Amino acid sequence: MSTTTVLQPATWTDVGAPDDFPDGAVWPVVAGGMPIAMFRQGESLHALHDLCTHGNARLSDGYVEDGRIECPLHQGLFDICTGAACGGPVTEDVRSYPVRVRDGRVEVATPLLP
């Protein structure tokens, strides 16, 4: 049995300049009407949905350490590159979004809202 992945249409939203996102920090932005937590690791930029899957806390209020974000409510951990849950009490991954730098601006792709 084979499965087919259906790609949702996305919109790219400008969220700032690369220098707006310091290395090792987290910043809240809005892209495509979605709350996004932006991260920088060296030259790489990453975007996660800015809401913990366990306690509905804003990840952008959390702490970044060793490539992970710690939820400020119950200290659950998520990988900032993939959104994977990597430390209890969280068990459900948080959504990650594609990021690109285009013409000196950072853009995040989010699904088009219905």
Side-chain angles (χ1 to χ4, degrees), residues 48-53 59 78 82-85 92-96:
L48 299 179
H49 189 69
D50 194 11
L51 192 61
C52 178
T53 56
L59 294 179
F78 297 94
T82 65
E92 184 180 338
D93 298 348
V94 70
R95 184 173 187 154
S96 65

Side-chain angles (χ1 to χ4, degrees), residues 1 15 34 40 43 47 54 58 64 76-77 79 86 90-91 99:
M1 177 180 206
V15 295
M34 307 287 270
R40 178 184 209 122
E43 294 301 312
H54 173 260
R58 289 175 41 150
V64 177
L77 298 171
D79 182 283
C86 52
V90 297
T91 57
V99 178

Side-chain angles (χ1 to χ4, degrees), residues 3 5 25 30 38 43 46 68 72 86 89 98 100 102 109:
T3 60
T5 301
V30 175
M38 289 293 303
E43 294 301 312
H46 307 281
R68 299 180 295 182
C86 52
R100 70 182 181 190
R102 188 172 185 175

